[in-house]
């Protein structure tokens, strides 16, 4: 599994302010779990992430998870 995080921020008079956080997880070679199950796993992971829990109060967070097949 790999995760890419894209933060959107702006620099203001008192410092840098994070505006949003977009997470994308890619799971390679996952079997026997459908799209709905994958979304449930993504939601649980997002809820359990300590960084997301810390910034969720003030920042919009999106989370997308998808599965791919391993490269041959």
């Amino acid at each position: 599994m790999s995760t890419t995080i894209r933060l959107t921020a702006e620099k203001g008079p008192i410092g840098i302010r994070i505006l949003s956080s977009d997470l994308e997880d890619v799971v390679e070679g996952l079997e026997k779990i459908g799209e709905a199950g994958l979304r449930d796993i993504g939601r649980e992971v997002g809820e359990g992430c300590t960084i997301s829990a810390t910034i969720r109060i003030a920042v919009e967070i999106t989370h997308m998870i998808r599965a791919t097949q391993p490269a041959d």
Side-chain angles (χ1 to χ4, degrees):
M1 182 170 148
S2 65
T3 301
T4 301
I5 302 169
R6 183 177 56 229
L7 294 175
T8 303
E10 68 180 3
K11 185 176 179 191
I14 59 172
I16 297 172
R17 178 176 175 231
I18 297 173
L19 302 174
S20 66
S21 174
D22 302 306
L23 292 87
E24 180 182 8
D25 295 320
V26 178
V27 181
E28 186 177 312
L30 186 65
E31 296 178 8
K32 300 182 183 179
I33 295 179
E35 287 296 317
L38 197 57
R39 282 191 302 271
D40 288 342
I41 291 169
R43 181 184 43 76
E44 290 177 24
V45 169
E47 289 173 359
C49 174
T50 56
I51 295 170
S52 292
T54 302
I55 67 173
R56 185 175 287 119
I57 297 167
V59 174
E60 177 186 357
I61 300 172
T62 62
H63 189 202
M64 202 251 317
I65 186 168
R66 63 186 172 91
T68 63
Q69 295 302 316
D72 292 332

